């Protein structure tokens, strides 16, 4: 029993259940406004994305603290990885292979979404007048303003990735690079130590995220679009347990054991609806299970921008869904056009606020056959589907890193077997290391 109560997974799961109950039975308290307008500017921590409601504040403050670690960890991991790798040709080879992998797998995700949406047809019978609409002007405006330069400038993670790669390449040619490693390595350990301290508050973030979602939108808002939600979740499951399963099976690695190994991170992503909340911990665990530091440092941050499997599935299904709602028949050529457009536009989905709707708006605008106003149908239930998107993106990037590590012979199977065999022991070791530092 003592072991159960000291297990972070148990507390995150408990927090999610409590958040759902609070949001459903006492939404007034969950949505209670704790900050007056303008109070955010007076806070010392004004750079954080602080929300006004009680529940959203708990979630956003936790995610904001975790975000502080993402860029330093990416910078340190990539820089140290490239310096230790030494062979710059190998850096370019891993990067090119990662981008090819991302394009192939996200295209498969798009096709899976299109096929399932056309088979189940979740948009048939949806009455648009019965669903409360919303303001979509900000999404359509942002869609017309999108550019790849803006995508890069808005995506700090991508900027850090580029800077770290350049610096790593420069330092790898520096005669005193070992001194740089000796300087950066202890800093990296301290950053991860601090991250583990912050992750102890994950249950609070998960509780706030679920309470806010249920309280604001209500379970009853799911009914009109329940078929779409169910279809999205089923499709995500098919992609994870079929496509990603066979990708790992190619190297005789168990998807189930990998998911068990990252179960804490999966629950945190589920509770907060943000893959960012588990990104730093995922990088650490991938190293612990045998992936080399250099591959983890290159693939995970790049995947965060270019390997959004869950997002691409959702985007393809949303377009087909809206076509069905408005009785727009799409022929094979138009469907292939949708896939082609989303292959490009979906890559920018991580760099812009409200990215999913912006990409959808730009896709519908390019097609010119489906009313852009249909986006209003999705506003109310988008939050409920964001958990599936975030988890699928998260798992997809983990699988990509494992596959590329194996393909590059940069994977230690003995570490993986030890990690998979002693998941609970590993979590206790991490806690002991935190307490001893």
């Amino acid at each position: 029993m003592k072991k159960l109560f000291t297990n972070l997974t148990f507390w995150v799961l408990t927090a999610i259940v409590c958040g759902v109950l609070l949001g459903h039975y006492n939404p007034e308290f969950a949505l209670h406004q704790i900050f007056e307008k303008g109070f955010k500017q007076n806070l010392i921590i004004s750079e954080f994305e602080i929300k006004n409601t009680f529940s959203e504040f708990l979630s956003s403050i936790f995610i904001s603290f975790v975000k502080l670690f993402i860029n330093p960890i990416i910078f340190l991991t990539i820089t140290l990885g490239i310096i230790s790798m030494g062979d710059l040709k190998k850096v370019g080879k891993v990067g090119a292979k990662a981008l090819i992998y991302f394009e192939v797998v996200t295209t498969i995700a798009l096709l899976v979404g299109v096929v399932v949406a056309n088979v189940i047809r979740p948009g048939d019978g949806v009455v648009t007048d019965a669903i409360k609409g919303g303001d979509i002007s900000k999404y359509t405006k942002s869609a017309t303003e999108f550019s790849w330069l803006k995508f890069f400038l808005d995506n700090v993670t991508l900027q850090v990735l580029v800077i770290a790669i350049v610096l790593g390449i420069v330092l790898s040619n520096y005669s005193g690079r070992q001194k740089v490693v000796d300087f950066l390595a202890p800093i990296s350990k301290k950053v991860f130590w601090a991250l583990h301290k912050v992750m102890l508050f994950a249950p609070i973030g998960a509780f706030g995220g679920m309470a806010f979602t249920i309280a604001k939108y209500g379970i009853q808002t799911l009914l009109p679009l329940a078929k779409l939600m169910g279809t999205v979740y089923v499709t995500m499951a098919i992609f994870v347990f079929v496509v990603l399963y066979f990708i790992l099976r190619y190297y005789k690695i168990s998807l189930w054991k990998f998911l068990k190994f990252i179960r804490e991170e999966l629950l945190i992503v589920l509770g907060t609806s943000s893959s960012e909340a588990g990104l730093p911990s995922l990088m650490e665990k991938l190293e612990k299970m045998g992936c080399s530091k250099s591959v983890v440092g290159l693939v995970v941050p790049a995947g965060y921008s270019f390997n959004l499997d869950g997002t691409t599935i959702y985007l393809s299904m949303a377009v087909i869904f809206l076509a069905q709602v408005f009785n727009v028949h799409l022929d094979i050529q138009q469907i292939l056009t949708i896939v082609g457009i989303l292959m490009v536009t979906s890559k920018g989905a991580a760099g812009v606020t409200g990215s999913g709707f912006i990409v959808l708006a730009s896709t519908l605008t390019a097609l010119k056959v489906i009313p852009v106003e249909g986006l209003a149908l999705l506003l109310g239930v988008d939050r409920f589907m964001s958990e599936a998107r975030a988890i699928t993106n998260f798992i997809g990037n983990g699988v990509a890193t494992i596959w590329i590590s194996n393909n590059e012979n940069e994977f230690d199977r003995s570490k993986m077997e030890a990690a998979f065999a002693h998941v609970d022991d590993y979590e206790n070791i991490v806690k002991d290391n935190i307490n001893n530092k």
Side-chain angles (χ1 to χ4, degrees):
M1 185 63 70
K2 181 180 179 181
K3 186 176 181 180
L4 178 66
F5 287 132
T6 58
N7 188 289
L8 184 60
T9 303
F10 168 78
W11 287 113
V12 172
L13 189 58
T14 302
I16 290 173
V17 173
C18 291
V20 171
L21 293 175
L22 175 65
H24 181 64
Y25 291 106
N26 196 347
E28 294 82 8
F29 180 76
L31 296 178
H32 177 68
Q33 194 172 51
I34 57 176
F35 296 144
E36 295 293 335
K37 284 187 176 180
F39 186 69
K40 173 183 172 182
Q41 284 75 22
N42 297 326
L43 291 172
I44 297 176
I45 51 175
S46 58
E47 68 271 19
F48 292 162
E49 188 184 355
I50 306 241
K51 303 297 184 180
N52 286 342
T53 63
F54 161 72
S55 55
E56 198 175 13
F57 166 75
L58 295 178
S59 177
S60 62
I61 195 68
F62 170 72
I63 294 174
S64 296
F65 271 111
V66 173
K67 282 182 178 180
L68 292 178
F69 291 89
I70 292 177
N71 292 326
I73 286 176
I74 289 173
F75 176 80
L76 291 167
T77 303
I78 293 177
T79 305
L80 286 169
I82 292 178
I83 294 175
S84 60
M85 186 181 288
D87 186 357
L88 297 184
K89 289 184 179 179
K90 193 167 188 177
V91 175
K93 183 181 176 183
V94 171
K97 190 172 291 185
L99 291 177
I100 294 172
Y101 174 96
F102 296 159
E103 192 58 52
V104 171
V105 176
T106 52
T107 300
I108 293 173
L110 282 172
L111 295 174
V112 170
V114 169
V115 170
V116 176
N118 276 289
V119 170
I120 299 180
R121 299 191 64 83
D124 289 349
V126 175
V127 181
T128 57
D129 294 340
I131 303 174
K132 184 178 180 181
D135 181 18
I136 63 169
S137 59
K138 59 182 178 180
Y139 304 115
T140 54
K141 181 180 178 181
S142 295
T144 59
E145 296 174 350
F146 177 80
S147 68
W148 285 106
L149 178 60
K150 186 176 187 300
F151 165 60
F152 179 77
L153 294 177
D154 287 345
N155 196 325
V156 179
T157 300
L158 196 56
Q159 295 172 28
V160 173
L161 174 64
V162 173
I163 292 172
I165 291 174
V166 172
L167 186 61
I169 291 173
V170 172
L171 291 175
S172 65
N173 293 317
Y174 174 51
S175 58
R177 59 178 177 271
Q178 187 57 45
K179 293 181 180 179
V180 178
V181 172
D182 294 339
F183 174 74
L184 293 180
I187 297 176
S188 179
K189 290 182 179 180
K190 288 297 182 182
V191 170
F192 275 110
W193 172 82
L195 171 65
H196 285 300
K197 289 289 189 181
V198 172
M199 294 306 289
L200 296 176
F201 295 93
I204 297 176
F207 169 79
M210 293 305 295
F212 172 79
T213 300
I214 300 299
K216 183 172 182 179
Y217 300 104
I219 296 178
Q220 68 278 3
T221 61
L222 306 182
L223 297 179
L225 299 178
K227 190 176 180 182
L228 171 63
M229 288 190 57
T231 305
V232 168
Y233 274 83
V234 168
T235 308
M236 301 284 186
I238 291 173
F239 179 79
V240 171
F241 295 110
V242 177
V243 177
L244 297 184
Y245 167 81
F246 281 107
I247 289 176
L248 284 187
R249 188 179 178 184
Y250 182 81
Y251 286 111
K252 298 180 181 180
I253 296 174
S254 170
L255 174 67
W256 290 101
K257 290 181 179 179
F258 171 61
L259 296 180
K260 183 180 179 182
F261 184 62
I262 60 169
R263 62 192 181 189
E264 284 187 358
E265 289 72 22
L266 290 175
L267 286 173
I268 292 168
V269 172
L270 173 66
T272 60
S273 297
S274 171
S275 57
E276 291 178 323
L279 190 65
S281 294
L282 175 66
M283 295 177 69
E284 182 182 25
K285 282 198 170 181
L286 286 170
E287 287 185 48
K288 294 292 184 183
M289 68 170 282
C291 298
S292 70
K293 180 185 287 289
S294 55
V295 174
V296 171
L298 284 170
V299 177
V300 175
Y304 176 72
S305 296
F306 299 106
N307 188 40
L308 305 173
D309 299 327
T311 302
T312 52
I313 289 174
Y314 169 73
L315 291 173
S316 62
M317 297 190 74
V319 174
I320 302 298
F321 166 78
L322 291 176
Q324 294 166 358
V325 168
F326 292 103
N327 295 315
V328 176
H329 175 71
L330 298 173
D331 56 31
I332 297 298
Q333 184 177 350
Q334 288 173 316
I335 291 176
L336 292 177
T337 301
I338 290 172
V339 173
I341 293 172
L342 288 175
M343 282 174 64
V344 177
T345 57
S346 63
K347 299 301 180 290
V352 191
T353 303
S355 55
F357 283 102
I358 293 170
V359 172
L360 273 176
S362 62
T363 304
L364 296 179
T365 302
L367 284 173
K368 298 180 180 178
V369 293
I370 303 171
V372 180
E373 292 75 19
L375 289 177
L377 297 174
L378 303 173
L379 290 175
V381 295
D382 181 72
R383 177 83 185 201
F384 291 99
M385 291 185 285
S386 64
E387 287 92 349
R389 291 200 301 268
I391 287 178
T392 306
N393 291 339
F394 190 77
I395 297 172
N397 281 320
V399 170
T401 307
I402 295 170
W403 193 90
I404 293 172
S405 294
N406 276 274
N407 192 259
E408 285 292 307
N409 295 317
E410 293 281 346
F411 189 78
D412 188 335
R413 294 191 71 89
S414 62
K415 282 187 177 181
M416 178 194 73
E417 291 167 0
F420 285 175
H422 305 93
V423 174
D424 295 328
D425 293 339
Y426 168 75
E427 292 174 356
N428 291 330
I429 290 171
V430 170
K431 291 173 187 175
D432 292 338
N433 289 339
I434 293 173
N435 294 330
N436 292 333
K437 287 185 178 180

